[in-house]
Amino acid sequence: MMDCKKALAETGGDIDKAQEFLRKKGLAAADKRAGRATAEGRVGSYIHDSRIGVLIEVNCETDFVSRGDIFKELVDDLAMQIAACPQVQYISIDDVPEELVKKETELEMQREDLLSKPEQIRAKIVEGRVKKRLGEFALFEQPFIKNDKVTISEWLKQTIATTGENMKVRRFARYNLGEGLEKKSQDFAAEVAAQTAAKPPPSAPPKEDKPAETTESAEKKPAVAVSASLVKQLRDETGAGMMDCKKALAESDGDLQKAQEFLRKKGLSSADKKSSRLAAEGLVGSYIHDSRIGCMIEVNSETDFVARNDKFRELVNDLAMQVVACPQVDYVSVDDIPESVVGKEKEIEMQREDLQSKPESIREKIVEGRIAKRLGVMALLEQPYIKDDSKTVKDLVKETVASLGENIKVRRFVRYTLGED
């Protein structure tokens, strides 16, 4: 209030000039504010076409500024900026690891166009090239996507000047759907080979079997005429394949509800078999609670068709909400927990006073049970589902696999709580 009063007094009550006065005054003081503590702020996200996602935490000094439109827009635009810059891995050049700086310097020093230069000149040229290269990795050095005449660093400084509070981009994570996953032809070939090996080669039926075959076919249930529109409806509702839907409707005399139940039972029995199949499609999703807790998650399916299914989208949204609701969860499954963590937990349990008087063999069994329970607390798939605690998240995923007829993998997630250490 006092800043506004002074600005208006200095500019003769001219609002536009007063705003300009405050801006200039703010920019000059922005660097001084850089040392002030930032314990408030927002956790935000940006998801592009469900294939690229960003989770970000930006801090400010007060809750008042964090709830303002200027700060909200800042967080949203920063998340969008990171989504648009796949090469960005760090907030500033100062965050780039020393080993990466050394590697880039070594590469530049060995460039042929510099070998004939004097050592002193070569060092200066290399320094400039390395700085430019490292700038490509740093968010602050990027031209702002909404105004490429300013960098992100300059734009942030302008926002600090406008609000009068220090701001910090604390951290971010960026997911690109399927990155690091390769679709290998041998996966399909191995699956076919395994199925073929499990079945003996068909032998030619003897001629005398023909009458029996005719009798058998006569005893079969008459085929039910299944309309294309009914098949389409069932496919849209379940995400199952066309032939599976056709068969389900035929088996259930064209009854849509019975056909869905048929597909569900068939799916549950084969869900485990599908778990080995490659899932490289899917969705990147997020859930933000009160701008203070946020989760970004990648869940994979086998095909884009299933990824666009409403049931699959609901699964991704529910899983993101589940992660936000479970602060103790750090891993997707118990199998993902590092051996070092398992070893540490075992060491702690073995030293518990209530076990010291137990025989070694009994103590080992008790410790094994306790560790399994402890590790389960850290794993997402072992949590009771927040919408139905009679089943676990693993059960939920398995049911969705059964319903949609494809393998589904919860690949990774990241969870931010505002201001956490």
Side-chain angles (χ1 to χ4, degrees):
M1 186 178 68
M2 294 307 294
D3 286 339
C4 290
K5 195 172 181 180
K6 184 179 179 182
L8 287 164
E10 290 284 339
T11 56
D14 188 306
I15 289 288
D16 291 335
K17 287 182 179 178
Q19 287 177 344
E20 184 66 22
F21 176 89
L22 285 170
R23 182 175 173 274
K24 288 177 180 176
K25 182 175 178 287
L27 281 172
D31 288 331
K32 293 180 183 177
R33 294 192 182 100
R36 291 183 351 203
T38 53
E40 289 294 333
R42 296 181 77 85
V43 174
S45 70
Y46 175 75
I47 306 294
H48 181 76
D49 195 29
S50 300
R51 301 184 73 84
I52 299 171
V54 173
L55 188 69
I56 188 169
E57 178 183 347
V58 186
N59 300 131
C60 60
E61 294 178 51
T62 65
D63 181 56
F64 176 78
V65 164
S66 74
R67 288 185 280 108
D69 291 339
I70 292 174
F71 191 76
K72 287 179 184 178
E73 185 179 0
L74 171 74
V75 176
D76 291 344
D77 286 348
L78 284 171
M80 195 186 302
Q81 178 83 36
I82 295 163
C85 300
Q87 77 283 4
V88 166
Q89 300 172 42
Y90 308 98
I91 294 169
S92 71
I93 288 179
D94 294 337
D95 298 322
V96 179
E98 190 60 38
E99 57 267 26
L100 183 57
V101 178
K102 287 180 180 178
K103 185 180 178 182
E104 291 294 333
T105 304
E106 286 173 13
L107 289 171
E108 289 297 337
M109 288 293 280
Q110 292 169 9
R111 288 277 183 94
E112 288 185 8
D113 63 333
L114 294 180
L115 295 177
S116 60
K117 306 280 185 185
E119 184 68 28
Q120 192 175 1
I121 295 173
R122 185 164 53 155
K124 287 185 178 180
I125 295 172
V126 166
E127 186 180 342
R129 288 182 177 179
V130 169
K131 187 177 180 182
K132 185 179 179 181
R133 174 65 178 148
L134 297 181
E136 294 175 10
F137 300 143
L139 172 64
F140 282 174
E141 304 303 314
Q142 306 307 304
F144 181 32
I145 53 174
K146 289 187 174 180
N147 178 11
D148 59 10
K149 292 178 182 178
V150 297
T151 64
I152 294 298
S153 178
E154 292 166 343
W155 175 55
L156 181 63
K157 192 178 273 193
Q158 287 176 12
T159 310
I160 291 172
T162 302
T163 61
E165 281 199 10
N166 188 24
M167 295 175 188
K168 297 273 188 185
V169 180
R170 187 176 178 214
R171 52 182 171 169
F172 67 83
R174 186 183 191 278
Y175 282 176
N176 199 358
L177 180 68
E179 62 188 346
L181 294 176
E182 295 180 14
K183 295 182 180 180
K184 299 180 181 179
S185 58
Q186 59 261 37
D187 289 327
F188 177 71
E191 187 179 340
V192 173
Q195 289 174 357
T196 308
K199 297 175 184 177
S203 55
K207 291 181 181 178
E208 58 269 20
D209 285 348
K210 281 187 178 178
E213 192 178 309
T214 307
T215 308
E216 186 185 338
S217 61
E219 293 173 357
K220 278 184 181 177
K221 185 180 176 181
V224 177
V226 177
S227 67
S229 60
L230 205 57
V231 172
K232 184 179 183 302
Q233 186 180 348
L234 182 60
R235 195 179 182 199
D236 289 342
E237 289 179 5
T238 64
M242 185 176 68
M243 295 306 295
D244 285 336
C245 289
K246 198 171 181 180
K247 183 179 179 183
L249 286 163
E251 290 285 338
S252 54
D253 297 325
D255 187 302
L256 205 58
Q257 288 185 335
K258 287 182 180 178
Q260 288 178 342
E261 185 63 22
F262 175 89
L263 285 170
R264 183 178 173 277
K265 289 177 180 175
K266 180 175 178 287
L268 279 172
S269 64
S270 60
D272 288 330
K273 294 178 184 176
K274 294 184 177 81
S275 65
S276 62
R277 287 174 5 194
L278 183 67
E281 286 294 333
L283 293 177
V284 174
S286 68
Y287 176 75
I288 307 294
H289 181 74
D290 195 29
S291 300
R292 301 185 74 85
I293 307 172
C295 165
M296 180 168 64
I297 192 166
E298 178 181 348
V299 185
N300 298 128
S301 60
E302 293 179 56
T303 66
D304 183 54
F305 177 79
V306 161
R308 288 185 280 110
N309 185 281
D310 288 340
K311 195 174 186 69
F312 186 80
R313 288 182 180 277
E314 184 181 1
L315 172 70
V316 176
N317 292 335
D318 285 349
L319 287 173
M321 196 185 302
Q322 180 86 39
V323 174
V324 165
C326 300
Q328 77 282 6
V329 166
D330 295 320
Y331 308 96
V332 174
S333 71
V334 172
D335 295 336
D336 297 325
I337 300 176
E339 194 57 44
S340 57
V341 175
V342 179
K344 186 179 178 181
E345 291 294 331
K346 186 174 183 180
E347 187 180 327
I348 292 169
E349 288 297 336
M350 287 294 281
Q351 292 170 5
R352 288 278 183 94
E353 288 184 9
D354 62 333
L355 295 180
Q356 299 307 314
S357 60
K358 306 282 185 185
E360 185 69 26
S361 58
I362 295 176
R363 188 163 52 154
E364 284 282 351
K365 286 183 179 179
I366 295 173
V367 166
E368 188 179 333
R370 286 181 179 179
I371 288 174
K373 186 177 180 180
R374 171 67 183 141
L375 298 183
V377 171
M378 302 179 189
L380 172 63
L381 294 180
E382 303 303 317
Q383 306 307 304
Y385 177 36
I386 52 173
K387 289 186 174 181
D388 179 3
D389 60 10
S390 67
K391 59 186 174 187
T392 64
V393 173
K394 187 190 290 183
D395 295 331
L396 171 69
V397 173
K398 198 169 185 178
E399 285 177 7
T400 312
V401 170
S403 174
L404 298 179
E406 280 195 9
N407 186 23
I408 293 170
K409 292 279 187 185
V410 182
R411 188 183 178 204
R412 53 181 173 168
F413 65 83
V414 59
R415 183 185 190 276
Y416 287 172
T417 299
L418 183 67
E420 67 187 348
D421 293 334

